Amino acid sequence: MGNYRMCLCFTRKFRVMEAEPPSDVKETFNKYAGDGTHMTAEQLRHFLVELQAEGGSTSASEAERIVEQVLQKRHNIAKLISRGTLLTLDDFHHYLFSSDLNPPIRAQVHQDMTAPLSHYYIYTGHNSYLTGNQLSSDCSDVPIIEALKRGVRVVELDIWPNSEKDNVHVLHGRTLTTPVELIKCLKSIKEHAFSESPYPVIITLEDHLTPDLQAKVAQMLIETFEDMLFYPESEFLKEFPSPEQLKYRIIISTKPPREYLKAQNGNGRGDDLHMSEEEDLWGKEPSELNTDEREEDDDTSDSDSSEDNNGGNIGGLSSPGAREYKHLIAIHAGKPKGGLKEVLKIELNKVRRLSLSEQALEKAAESYGTDIVRFTQKNILRVYPKGTRFNSSNYKPLIGWMHGAQMVAFNMQGYGRSLWLMQGMFRANGGCGYVKKPDFVMKNLDNQVFYPKANLPVKKTLKVKVYMGDGWHLDFKHTHFDLYSPPDFYTRVGIAGVPADEIMKQTKKKEDIWTPSWEEEFTFQLKVPELALLRVEVHEHDLSEKDDFGGQTCFPISELKQGIRAVPLFDRKGNKYNTIRLLMRFHFI
């Protein structure tokens, strides 16, 4: 008898209940099926137009194609027997819960791509060649390839002379990182640049080279990229070209040679070597950026500063190599001398790129918020992680985006909530790596430049209903969450955006079930919906330890499709799970 009991306990652990459709799905089916047991393609079309807000353009043939896809996927029916094939309630539920057939955001490029580059947020990597931490990990072309495959459009390479001073290596200077040859990185960029997006790849070079090695780099760039390489028509661009004009092109961005100075020996300005405390990525909400960190740029290799402790200019333009190198630079970087007010001045016939560390931007934003926004309407601002993020963690990207910064540079290997927001932002516009900045950041409305800290009225209200989730039993081992019982899942739903919009809410936990059904609704009032991201996380409640992670996603509110949608979840690194998804409803009031 004892053995029999054990057996019962064992089967309980593995049993997965087939979740029945939520009551809203049943009611919707009844409404559109006219209280019948089956739904026609025409009835489905009415549902798509009215409840899913797909627009009146949804055709009868599209609705029929959906019916066909559902039946093929669900019942393996190769060909429809007749045009009048119908959906049952379970078929309808299966359709709604399919993240392939019924996704929460659009999958196509749909924004205007003909404006200058400065009008877009651009998916930007920081120290793109590092495999792990900032101090001792290997340098490799592998993380560059992975970033490009995710749609990243700006790749950063730190270039230094090798020990013989006759070739160029990529490495994080003044650290123990093992180098990789520049040519290997360039060849990998060429091979993978446009695997995910046709829009331009920008290579930002942090250059520590002598003029003869700069000439060598110019030769490498020309020979590797050939016709892909974009040559600016004049020394200074008056306006940046558009992503559309630059399709399938490689753009070089760095400081012109005359601004290069002798690379420092030792630790530069004495980087602050205390470890920044590890963010609690899976528990409480990450706090706002630390403002008590050192306010100067600690990462000298990243700054555009044209001043240096040692002084001494080595890159005069008398060298033909340096001239050729300079001719390739389309996006000029460099920080003019003077205070921030000078740095943010807009020049009439010249556009450029400015780099600021995350805490330099924070400090600047306190006094010069509108000046930064005005600067980014025409020029490019790149923000990079502070030098104390040795573990390759990241900062909140919103501080950059709400000030119009196009290149919010991230450690793509530093997994955690900040990177989820970055990945979420660039799911917009078909995942092409370029997202149009909102009009209010680009245009001065009523002669007023957008002020990110202004107390604004509520512009849009979003209702989010979390119905249910499924797929964990297929993507995880049955003992992953608990050894002896099914998991206890709960969902967190919230907004990342301007500070006034940021909030996180939570469902109740559902105990001992692999297919939890919550059916809870949350309301979010948004003051700046154009910059708001919807955040979704699932966790498994654990009494004895920290709650287990069960999936996450994030996407821009501006891209959200209304109605009942299947929301696929991703792992900590941003890889999509095979089957885990939530059924949710989105409704704007």
Side-chain angles (χ1 to χ4, degrees):
M1 188 66 189
N3 286 345
Y4 181 62
R5 275 209 192 97
M6 268 184 71
C7 185
L8 272 180
C9 175
F10 191 73
T11 54
R12 174 174 173 263
K13 180 172 75 177
F14 288 99
R15 193 174 67 232
V16 179
M17 301 288 288
E18 180 73 28
E20 65 170 63
S23 53
D24 278 11
V25 172
K26 291 177 186 169
E27 284 170 25
T28 302
F29 180 83
N30 289 338
K31 178 184 171 185
Y32 286 94
D35 289 326
T37 55
H38 290 78
M39 182 184 277
T40 65
E42 181 57 24
Q43 289 168 332
L44 178 68
R45 192 185 75 79
H46 281 293
F47 160 75
L48 293 172
V49 170
E50 291 168 20
L51 199 109
Q52 303 291 84
E54 291 284 5
S57 61
T58 306
S59 65
S61 61
E62 279 175 72
E64 276 166 15
R65 195 176 71 249
I66 290 169
V67 170
E68 193 171 328
Q69 285 175 306
V70 171
L71 296 177
Q72 280 176 4
K73 207 171 165 189
R74 192 163 156 72
H75 305 293
N76 294 320
I77 297 174
K79 270 192 271 189
L80 286 180
I81 298 146
S82 73
R83 288 176 69 80
T85 310
L86 309 169
L87 296 180
T88 64
L89 169 61
D90 282 340
D91 292 332
F92 180 64
H93 182 226
H94 176 86
Y95 160 65
L96 290 177
F97 214 175
S98 165
S99 54
D100 294 335
L101 299 177
N102 185 34
I105 59 172
R106 291 186 273 185
Q108 296 80 28
V109 174
H110 57 86
Q111 295 177 347
D112 171 26
M113 301 304 282
T114 61
L117 287 180
S118 53
H119 291 223
Y120 300 84
Y121 299 123
I122 311 172
Y123 204 175
T124 301
H126 174 255
N127 291 349
S128 307
Y129 49 86
L130 288 180
T131 55
N133 71 61
Q134 303 284 308
L135 296 178
S136 61
S137 67
D138 290 342
C139 300
S140 166
D141 61 335
V142 173
I144 296 171
I145 295 167
E146 286 176 355
L148 291 168
K149 284 181 174 175
R150 285 183 185 271
V152 168
R153 299 288 84 194
V154 184
V155 172
E156 183 189 30
L157 302 176
D158 265 349
I159 48 178
W160 295 79
N162 66 350
S163 52
E164 287 77 37
K165 306 282 190 281
D166 64 353
N167 207 342
V168 182
H169 275 168
V170 172
L171 74 152
H172 198 198
R174 303 186 292 277
T175 66
L176 302 174
T177 55
T178 51
V180 59
E181 284 192 349
L182 172 63
I183 190 67
K184 189 175 184 186
C185 295
L186 297 181
K187 284 177 175 172
S188 291
I189 291 170
K190 182 182 184 179
E191 191 179 339
H192 299 278
F194 306 108
S195 59
E196 282 304 303
S197 167
Y199 294 103
V201 166
I202 300 167
I203 302 175
T204 58
L205 297 173
E206 290 295 342
D207 180 344
H208 309 272
L209 302 178
T210 55
D212 56 330
L213 285 178
Q214 288 173 346
K216 189 161 190 162
V217 169
Q219 209 53 41
M220 276 187 213
L221 291 168
I222 291 163
E223 286 173 11
T224 304
F225 294 116
E226 300 172 314
D227 293 347
M228 292 165 114
L229 199 58
F230 172 76
Y231 290 84
E233 287 173 10
S234 57
E235 183 181 339
F236 294 111
L237 294 171
K238 291 184 179 180
E239 185 177 72
F240 292 115
S242 71
E244 192 63 40
Q245 288 170 293
L246 295 169
K247 264 184 170 175
Y248 301 107
R249 304 299 287 274
I250 303 287
I251 319 294
I252 305 301
S253 178
T254 185
K255 286 177 280 187
R258 67 165 171 264
E259 295 180 26
Y260 288 120
L261 303 162
K262 198 171 283 178
Q264 289 168 266
N265 298 316
N267 275 343
R269 280 181 278 185
D271 285 359
D272 195 347
L273 288 171
H274 73 271
M275 289 290 285
S276 61
E277 91 186 35
E278 185 70 56
E279 288 167 276
D280 184 3
L281 297 175
W282 322 124
K284 60 183 173 52
E285 187 73 357
S287 59
E288 292 292 322
L289 288 173
N290 276 348
T291 48
D292 56 354
E293 297 284 349
R294 284 171 34 150
E295 297 292 2
E296 64 187 287
D297 298 359
D298 349 49
D299 194 342
T300 49
S301 74
D302 260 303
S303 85
D304 278 343
S305 172
S306 55
E307 292 177 319
D308 193 56
N309 287 349
N310 293 352
N313 192 329
I314 59 165
L317 283 179
S318 54
S319 145
R323 277 202 299 276
E324 189 167 34
Y325 181 72
K326 185 175 184 182
H327 183 53
L328 298 178
I329 302 170
I331 301 175
H332 283 231
K335 191 183 285 182
K337 288 185 180 172
L340 210 58
K341 197 83 174 163
E342 292 297 308
V343 169
L344 292 169
K345 270 197 174 156
I346 292 148
E347 298 172 70
L348 279 178
N349 296 314
K350 185 174 157 187
V351 288
R352 58 192 165 90
R353 189 196 95 203
L354 172 69
S355 284
L356 294 174
S357 70
E358 60 176 279
Q359 75 269 49
L361 173 64
E362 263 220 324
K363 189 178 181 186
E366 287 171 20
S367 313
Y368 300 106
T370 51
D371 292 309
I372 299 168
V373 174
R374 191 183 286 110
F375 177 84
T376 60
Q377 290 172 351
K378 193 176 167 191
N379 298 282
I380 287 174
L381 176 61
R382 175 176 164 272
V383 186
Y384 59 90
K386 61 189 176 187
T388 50
R389 291 189 181 276
F390 303 131
N391 58 356
S392 295
S393 63
N394 287 301
Y395 50 101
K396 277 191 172 181
L398 271 306
I399 178 90
W401 292 332
M402 66 193 193
H403 287 93
Q406 296 85 350
M407 296 183 180
V408 177
F410 259 40
N411 295 312
M412 295 301 162
Q413 70 282 43
Y415 308 116
R417 283 202 173 106
S418 293
L419 188 60
W420 300 349
L421 299 183
M422 178 65 65
Q423 290 167 341
M425 174 66 145
F426 288 101
R427 288 190 181 111
N429 202 23
C432 75
Y434 286 82
V435 174
K436 197 92 161 43
K437 297 201 286 191
D439 277 353
F440 62 78
V441 180
M442 289 309 309
K443 296 173 183 166
N444 303 337
L445 305 173
D446 306 322
N447 285 329
Q448 291 288 306
V449 178
F450 174 64
Y451 179 53
K453 291 182 180 172
N455 186 15
L456 300 164
V458 171
K459 195 169 180 181
K460 198 174 265 190
T461 299
L462 170 67
K463 281 187 179 291
V464 177
K465 191 161 187 178
V466 187
Y467 291 116
M468 59 185 293
D470 198 2
W472 288 278
H473 64 290
L474 296 172
D475 276 316
F476 287 108
K477 287 180 183 159
H478 288 188
T479 53
H480 178 88
F481 295 107
D482 286 304
L483 279 177
Y484 302 113
S485 66
D488 310 324
F489 288 122
Y490 63 91
T491 298
R492 300 176 73 214
V493 185
I495 303 294
V498 298
D501 285 345
E502 295 218 323
I503 191 168
M504 226 39 199
K505 300 182 179 186
Q506 190 168 308
T507 67
K508 296 178 181 69
K509 68 175 184 291
K510 288 292 173 180
E511 295 185 352
D512 288 349
I513 188 161
W514 283 98
T515 52
S517 178
W518 297 284
E519 303 217 23
E520 291 186 47
E521 189 166 60
F522 304 100
T523 302
F524 301 102
Q525 295 192 315
L526 306 171
K527 294 185 171 184
V528 187
E530 299 90 342
L531 288 177
L533 299 160
L534 185 73
R535 291 180 47 191
V536 181
E537 297 175 17
V538 176
H539 297 272
E540 198 270 337
H541 180 67
D542 197 325
L543 278 174
S544 55
E545 299 167 30
K546 196 152 63 166
D547 288 359
D548 290 316
F549 174 78
Q552 58 84 20
T553 192
C554 182
F555 34 79
I557 299 289
S558 59
E559 295 274 317
L560 208 51
K561 290 176 150 196
Q562 290 203 75
I564 301 170
R565 302 287 172 182
V567 177
L569 296 187
F570 297 76
D571 68 13
R572 284 185 175 98
K573 294 184 177 183
N575 301 312
K576 192 174 173 180
Y577 287 119
N578 291 328
T579 52
I580 300 172
R581 70 234 184 265
L582 298 176
L583 189 66
M584 303 176 75
R585 181 177 175 180
F586 308 112
H587 179 55
F588 290 110
I589 302 171

